[in-house]
Amino acid sequence: MKLIAKPSKENIKTYVPTGLFLVFLSFFDVFANAFFNFNLMAFLPSQLSYFLPLLLGFVGFYLIRIEFSGVHSLDILNKNINSNNFNAFLTLLTVFIIIKSIPPLLNWFVLEANFVGDSKDDCTGKGACWVFIKVWFNRFMYGLYPDGEQWRINTAFLILFAVVGISFFVKQKIKKYFILFLIFVYPFLGIELISGGNFGLKYVETAAWGGLSLTFIISAFAILFCFPIGVFLALGRRSSLPAIRYISIGFIELWRGVPLITVLFMSAVMFPMFLPDGTFIDKLIRVLIAITLFEAAYMAEVVRGGLQALPKGQYEAARSLGMGYWKMNLLIILPQALKLVIPGIANTLLALVKDTPLIFVVGLMELAGMIGLAKTNPKWLGMAMEGYVFAGLVFWIICYAMSRYSQNLEKKLSTER
Amino acid sequence: MGKIIELKKVNKWFDKFQVLKDIDLDVAPQEKIVICGPSGSGKSTLIRCINRLEEHQKGNITVDGTELSESTKNIEKIRAEVGMVFQQFNLFPHLSILDNCTLAPIWVKKLPKKEAEEVAMKNLTRVQIDDQALKFPGQLSGGQQQRAAIARALCMEPKIMLFDEPTSALDPEMIKEVLDVMVDLAKGGMTMIVVTHEMGFAKEVADYMIFMDEGKIVERAKTKDFFENPKNERTKLFLSQIL
């Protein structure tokens, strides 16, 4: 004989209220505990009182798990978060962890944090010292770029955003001119503006560039160039001409096999030794080339995956219509292959953006590098946490935006389904 | 009458396995030839050699006076003149049906876009799917896709059409609509080489039947003779099995 009857439609009137009450009690206990430091079940031994909410919630969830109860919201609840004992347990655990972790996070980020002031001494609370970010904000954005010249960086990025923004609204026919401008004209215009030296603009050496703007500059250039190079390498690796194939394989395997940090180091320190005396290539350009080639090798393998996923029939159909190698690849193969590997491409480009902090090895400091510098300032010691949380947030925003864009692109280009 | 396709002692190997053995074949303009035979007999390989989707290793293939050789220019010229229809349709899934049809005329034959679209619509009307022109291949039924593939090949205004088992991947009720288009094409005077198991179609349009087995042409005969009194024992056996 069973002690309690299995929850079913007959006993719904008693089981559901009891069950819901138990679940509510368990949530309330954890909530009160976390937010108000008030222990509802303090009369119990401490370990038991810690785990009791889990037990209560578990029993409660068991009681309300009635199949085809006829009550719509109850059925939805059961189906989604309470389909069996294990799922009920996971639900409780997840909710409890979230509730428990909100107060300390809230305290650190906002409630006990300091926002006003202009030195470390103004940070009296136990929470984060956002004063640090506020005081250094300009440096985090522009690096050591002279204050008076920062409008040039702003203008360069404003032009970029304006052109990109407008291009979303213009007709397809005019859009291609915008894209051509962005690829072939803008990079030189932007660099001219930021670097200066002509048209009465003061020259600012690249060693002074830094902060988030440098992150953007490096990411944008590397993305712009690594993509076509990667596509060519992928095609080269599948070429029927042995010379091209082996050169591509060699290139890809060489760059893929070396850590980025060594590549950067070599580009900055060893590469100049091979140059003839008197020639000088800017450190930033060398670093850019290194990152571009490094990521191109990864890009090539991603694109190759797409090329291999296409059925042989597509190649044959294109060839049977009289298309040569380039027409076949540009019109038929690549549009399909690239569409297939958008998630992989996005992955590689996200990794590229997040790899930019590594340029600290050659003395260039983008956002994370500037934070690293600021936290070693004697007046601001012990601010690593605030700095890196800030850097993490900024990188997350950039990467999440890229990720969303890639998802939209995927949806927009899908024709099969 | 001159020959538009001439194969002389063509041999082909896949590694050590010989798929084509001393194939001799002539096709005159406007002739319709149906090739049949058991699977693995080299039928598909044979017609794929004619537009060099496969390379032959020995012998000569001449198409419309041009010898097929290593030179890529020759090959692309031949392919533009030889239309091919595949078992799996092989439409380009990222392009609409209309774009499927205009792509090669625009980029290979350098036709102006407007003219290419007119040609495409004419051919799509001919295969009776002009109302589907703006859809994507994935939205069409198998029979419609195969007719679109035929229209795509026709848009290059080929002198020769090759069909590689065009109805083998179709549901039974869609076979007829594709065969109807092919019969119509045959009556229009197109030179056609068709690999198929549809013997009804063969009887209706073929001038010659070719029976292949183990990489060799076993029997070549006028269609009527082929079905009424096949000479070779292997042919008789094959026909008895499929008719």
Side-chain angles (χ1 to χ4, degrees):
Chain A
M1 204 189 90
K2 276 188 174 174
L3 207 60
I4 31 172
K6 203 177 176 318
S8 73
K9 260 184 129 163
E10 283 91 69
N11 43 36
I12 190 165
K13 286 235 167 64
T14 49
Y15 274 30
V16 169
T18 326
L20 285 176
F21 176 71
L22 286 178
V23 173
F24 170 77
L25 200 64
S26 72
F27 280 13
F28 180 77
D29 179 55
V30 176
F31 184 80
N33 215 327
F35 282 86
F36 305 106
N37 225 357
F38 166 71
N39 197 345
L40 198 64
M41 296 166 194
F43 57 90
L44 291 165
S46 64
Q47 273 110 353
L48 197 59
S49 87
Y50 198 79
F51 288 108
L52 199 66
L54 215 49
L55 197 68
L56 286 179
F58 191 69
V59 173
F61 268 140
Y62 176 79
L63 291 178
I64 62 171
R65 196 179 306 132
I66 297 167
E67 278 180 63
F68 310 116
S69 63
V71 184
H72 187 65
S73 45
L74 186 64
D75 282 344
I76 298 241
L77 180 88
N78 281 336
K79 194 178 148 218
N80 289 327
I81 61 166
N82 188 23
S83 55
N84 56 38
N85 283 337
F86 180 67
N87 282 350
F89 179 73
L90 282 186
T91 302
L92 287 169
L93 206 63
T94 321
V95 172
F96 291 168
I97 288 174
I98 291 173
I99 295 177
K100 288 246 184 206
S101 55
I102 285 174
L105 285 178
L106 206 62
N107 281 343
W108 191 81
F109 272 96
V110 186
L111 297 180
E112 289 175 13
N114 291 88
F115 297 91
V116 254
D118 45 21
S119 79
K120 196 184 169 189
D121 303 328
D122 293 317
C123 290
T124 46
K126 277 189 252 161
C129 180
W130 297 124
V131 179
F132 171 66
I133 305 294
K134 199 175 75 179
V135 170
W136 286 84
F137 190 76
N138 191 275
R139 292 278 156 258
F140 291 164
M141 294 297 115
Y142 303 102
L144 304 176
Y145 208 86
D147 288 356
E149 307 289 328
Q150 285 170 3
W151 62 269
R152 282 154 53 179
I153 295 183
N154 294 343
T155 319
F157 281 102
L158 271 178
I159 294 175
L160 176 67
F161 292 139
V163 173
V164 171
I166 296 170
S167 75
F168 275 108
F169 297 103
V170 297
K171 285 197 198 117
Q172 206 67 35
K173 243 183 186 168
I174 316 170
K175 203 169 179 172
K176 70 177 172 223
Y177 295 109
F178 277 78
I179 293 169
L180 288 177
F181 172 80
L182 280 177
I183 295 176
F184 294 108
V185 183
Y186 179 76
F188 305 101
L189 185 79
I191 285 304
E192 186 58 46
L193 196 59
I194 295 173
S195 157
N198 295 319
F199 310 115
L201 293 173
K202 208 176 103 197
Y203 175 69
V204 180
E205 56 169 6
T206 53
W209 302 14
L212 188 63
S213 53
L214 186 62
T215 307
F216 277 133
I217 291 169
I218 290 181
S219 305
F221 271 86
I223 288 172
L224 192 64
F225 292 115
C226 87
F227 188 68
I229 296 174
V231 169
F232 277 115
L233 283 172
L235 290 175
R237 192 165 182 168
R238 288 167 57 84
S239 168
S240 53
L241 306 172
I244 294 181
R245 188 168 64 244
Y246 287 119
I247 289 173
S248 303
I249 293 177
F251 182 94
I252 292 170
E253 296 303 340
L254 176 73
W255 287 86
R256 270 207 312 176
V258 187
L260 181 57
I261 206 161
T262 46
V263 172
L264 289 171
F265 185 76
M266 288 196 192
S267 78
V269 181
M270 281 183 64
F271 179 68
M273 290 198 261
F274 300 112
L275 288 177
D277 282 339
T279 41
F280 172 75
I281 302 178
D282 192 276
K283 188 156 72 176
L284 180 63
I285 292 179
R286 275 179 277 143
V287 163
L288 260 177
I289 293 173
I291 294 184
T292 304
L293 296 181
F294 181 85
E295 299 294 344
Y298 280 90
M299 189 60 80
E301 287 299 277
V302 171
V303 174
R304 190 167 69 96
L307 293 176
Q308 269 167 352
L310 284 194
K312 214 173 132 220
Q314 292 293 313
Y315 292 85
E316 291 180 346
R319 277 158 57 197
S320 81
L321 288 167
M323 292 185 194
Y325 179 82
W326 290 110
K327 280 176 194 157
M328 171 175 80
N329 275 305
L330 290 176
L331 299 171
I332 307 297
I333 304 304
L334 283 175
Q336 294 185 64
L338 294 180
K339 192 167 75 184
L340 275 177
V341 294
I342 287 174
I345 292 174
N347 223 357
T348 309
L349 297 184
L350 287 182
L352 185 157
V353 173
K354 291 189 292 177
D355 277 346
T356 52
L358 286 178
I359 59 173
F360 81 88
V361 291
V362 298
L364 289 170
M365 280 167 299
E366 44 61 77
L367 178 60
M370 279 313 292
I371 288 167
L373 186 71
K375 79 172 165 49
T376 52
N377 184 307
K379 287 186 203 151
W380 291 97
L381 287 174
M383 292 291 147
M385 181 99 115
E386 285 83 352
Y388 288 123
V389 165
F390 175 69
L393 263 175
V394 173
F395 273 101
W396 182 82
I397 291 170
I398 296 170
C399 292
Y400 186 66
M402 286 170 70
S403 157
R404 289 308 305 234
Y405 179 71
S406 87
Q407 284 171 34
N408 279 344
L409 205 61
E410 227 177 306
K411 229 180 264 168
K412 207 175 92 186
L413 296 179
S414 130
T415 55
E416 275 100 299
R417 280 138 242 132
Chain B
M1 196 154 52
K3 301 292 177 196
I4 193 163
I5 301 174
E6 271 187 293
L7 279 76
K8 279 194 197 127
K9 297 257 172 271
V10 171
N11 284 273
K12 174 167 179 60
W13 287 265
F14 284 132
D15 286 332
K16 295 239 169 77
F17 178 70
Q18 191 168 7
V19 269
L20 296 179
K21 298 171 188 163
D22 284 340
I23 301 283
D24 286 307
L25 177 69
D26 307 313
V27 183
Q30 307 214 342
E31 256 181 350
K32 288 95 186 119
I33 291 180
V34 168
I35 304 175
C36 62
S39 62
S41 58
K43 312 174 295 257
S44 291
T45 312
L46 174 62
I47 70 165
R48 288 157 61 87
C49 279
I50 293 172
N51 70 350
R52 215 177 168 78
L53 285 183
E54 305 280 1
E55 280 174 38
H56 59 287
Q57 277 103 17
K58 247 175 81 184
N60 297 324
I61 300 179
T62 313
V63 179
D64 197 23
T66 315
E67 158 107 39
L68 291 188
S69 58
E70 290 300 318
S71 156
T72 34
K73 267 278 159 288
N74 276 353
I75 295 162
E76 280 162 28
K77 187 173 150 263
I78 293 296
R79 282 177 183 154
E81 288 179 12
V82 181
M84 182 141 187
V85 176
F86 300 86
Q87 184 177 354
Q88 300 296 342
F89 328 138
N90 294 345
L91 290 169
F92 306 131
H94 62 302
L95 298 173
S96 71
I97 298 297
L98 186 64
D99 289 340
N100 262 279
C101 291
T102 56
L103 192 71
I106 289 173
W107 289 91
V108 179
K109 285 179 79 181
K110 312 283 180 209
L111 229 54
K113 190 171 179 221
K114 204 154 177 206
E115 213 172 302
E117 276 174 3
E118 279 165 20
V119 174
M121 285 316 293
K122 193 188 81 194
N123 284 307
L124 286 172
T125 314
R126 187 172 182 184
V127 300
Q128 294 170 13
I129 46 166
D130 44 323
D131 51 336
Q132 316 281 341
L134 297 178
K135 288 195 184 164
F136 285 93
Q139 297 167 302
L140 267 56
S141 74
Q144 287 172 328
Q145 287 192 47
Q146 191 60 299
R147 285 187 280 151
I150 294 174
R152 178 178 70 179
L154 289 177
C155 284
M156 290 296 284
E157 293 173 336
K159 294 181 178 165
I160 303 159
M161 284 285 281
L162 307 173
F163 291 85
D164 188 1
E165 306 204 22
T167 55
S168 300
L170 294 173
D171 290 339
E173 72 264 32
M174 290 171 183
I175 291 177
K176 189 174 174 299
E177 61 187 57
V178 172
L179 290 180
D180 285 347
V181 167
M182 288 166 66
V183 170
D184 170 63
L185 203 56
K187 290 193 174 136
M190 178 65 76
T191 312
M192 290 163 72
I193 302 180
V194 184
V195 172
T196 187
H197 299 295
E198 297 291 332
M199 289 302 138
F201 168 80
K203 281 177 187 166
E204 192 179 344
V205 304
D207 297 315
Y208 282 98
M209 293 293 297
I210 285 174
F211 177 70
M212 285 185 74
D213 192 23
E214 294 179 345
K216 278 187 285 216
I217 294 186
V218 174
E219 183 153 0
R220 174 191 172 149
K222 291 244 179 207
T223 309
K224 201 160 173 255
D225 297 340
F226 182 84
F227 284 108
E228 283 170 9
N229 50 46
K231 294 191 179 61
N232 193 295
E233 284 307 314
R234 189 70 192 79
T235 318
K236 285 177 194 166
L237 182 68
F238 180 75
L239 286 175
S240 72
Q241 279 164 348
I242 65 164
L243 286 178

